[in-house]
Amino acid sequence: MLVDSHAHIQLDNYDKDRESVLTRARQADVHAILIVGFDLQTSQDAILLAESHDECFATVGMHPHDATTLTSATLDIFRKLASDPLVIALGEMGLDYYRNQSPRSLQKFAFEQQLDLAEELSLPVIIHNREAYHDILPILKARSGRIRGVMHCFSGDVKTMRHTLDLGFCIGIGGPVTYRKAEELQTVAREVPVDHLLVETDCPWLAPQNQRGKRNEPAYVRSTAEKIAELRGVSLDKIAEITTRNFERLFRDRAPSVS
Ligand code: NI
């Protein structure tokens, strides 16, 4: 059994065939899907989907692109939404210095506010990073022992992976690990300790090599898990088992436990 730890199937890209997408996920043995919000609307939609599908769970949060819209009123709504037991994490949140759609100072402010909320609610966090590890890691380090979560769609090198692991965070590996030129990410996928590895799609984006350029979906997390199994010289079943266990430990235990 596999888990897609990062999907956006609440988006209208799936309005025409969402039930078929979920059926294909089940057929691919994907038995849990974490639907990740990135602004108010997509967070509310994630909860609605989780309410109507047993295998779906939700997160609520504000992406750094929209950091400017995180007012104290919005934060209050997130706080209320997060009291729903189907909400098992906050995010995605973080810093994006590639697109810079919001000023960096405001991105940091929005990130810190959401981390405060995660501490208050004892929820794990899903971190979005683009070209910003040098700022994200110190921010997380300052909260070491009080915050836990996953570095989603990890794209750093092995050294950055080690710093991330030092903070107790999990490494989320997505479809790019299957790309032919992804040597660095493949090295990371080989070296992540078994108890800190998660798999994800980030669908509709980042489809694996065999579907590259098409709309991604939770069923395809299987290709990513197969690639990681091949890289590590273990069975797909083994990768499925450890990533599912890690998912359960990180997201399904609401107690404030930090390694
Ligand atoms: Ni995402």
Side-chain angles (χ1 to χ4, degrees):
M1 296 197 297
L2 286 156
V3 176
D4 182 356
S5 64
H6 193 117
H8 301 291
I9 55 169
Q10 77 273 51
L11 298 185
D12 56 12
N13 308 52
Y14 301 97
D15 280 355
K16 289 208 179 96
D17 64 344
R18 190 170 288 107
E19 293 307 318
S20 317
V21 166
L22 287 162
T23 301
R24 284 196 292 276
R26 275 191 292 277
Q27 286 165 350
D29 253 348
V30 178
H31 76 110
I33 302 168
L34 184 51
I35 305 173
V36 176
F38 49 82
D39 59 15
L40 203 48
Q41 186 65 53
T42 54
S43 297
Q44 285 163 331
D45 290 347
I47 295 174
L48 283 179
L49 258 185
E51 279 170 349
S52 53
H53 296 85
D54 283 347
E55 71 271 48
C56 296
F57 301 89
T59 79
V60 300
M62 188 70 83
H63 196 280
H65 287 342
D66 298 305
T68 51
T69 65
L70 189 71
T71 60
S72 59
T74 326
L75 204 64
D76 273 343
I77 300 174
F78 280 135
R79 181 180 283 107
K80 281 199 194 85
L81 292 175
S83 67
D84 188 317
L86 291 168
V87 174
I88 59 173
L90 294 188
E92 55 190 288
M93 61 176 82
L95 302 174
D96 193 312
Y97 292 173
Y98 179 71
R99 294 226 179 101
N100 282 308
Q101 287 187 16
S102 292
R104 291 182 183 188
S105 58
L106 282 175
Q107 290 191 34
K108 282 186 192 166
F109 184 65
F111 185 26
E112 295 275 14
Q113 284 198 301
Q114 292 179 82
L115 290 171
D116 284 345
L117 186 59
E119 283 193 32
E120 179 191 321
L121 302 175
S122 294
L123 282 172
V125 293
I126 295 184
I127 310 280
H128 170 97
N129 158 68
R130 248 185 121 186
E131 300 185 2
Y133 282 121
H134 57 288
D135 276 352
I136 287 178
L137 293 173
I139 287 171
L140 295 177
K141 188 161 185 173
R143 296 170 185 262
S144 187
R146 306 201 306 271
I147 207 97
R148 64 195 202 284
V150 58
M151 202 66 83
H152 127 72
C153 203
F154 189 82
S155 58
D157 56 15
V158 170
K159 195 171 149 217
T160 308
M161 176 194 84
R162 295 202 196 290
H163 289 150
T164 306
L165 292 166
D166 285 345
L167 300 170
F169 270 66
C170 288
I171 305 288
I173 305 257
V177 77
T178 63
Y179 298 168
R180 288 194 191 93
K181 287 183 179 158
E183 282 110 358
E184 195 167 70
L185 184 56
Q186 290 170 359
T187 307
V188 167
R190 253 192 302 267
E191 297 198 12
V192 186
V194 283
D195 55 345
H196 282 78
L197 173 66
L198 293 173
V199 285
E200 60 169 76
T201 58
D202 202 17
C203 64
W205 302 288
L206 300 176
Q209 184 69 43
N210 59 2
Q211 305 286 338
R212 203 166 173 179
K214 298 194 198 139
R215 183 190 70 174
N216 199 0
E217 61 177 67
Y220 302 164
V221 80
R222 194 181 178 91
S223 308
T224 295
E226 277 168 356
K227 182 69 190 181
I228 297 172
E230 177 198 317
L231 289 165
R232 295 174 78 108
V234 299
S235 66
L236 173 63
D237 280 354
K238 185 72 196 165
I239 294 300
E241 181 197 322
I242 64 174
T243 53
T244 296
R245 195 193 322 129
N246 293 342
F247 180 86
E248 295 287 333
R249 197 187 59 234
L250 178 58
F251 292 115
R252 305 300 307 283
D253 171 15
R254 287 191 79 145
S257 65
V258 173
S259 56

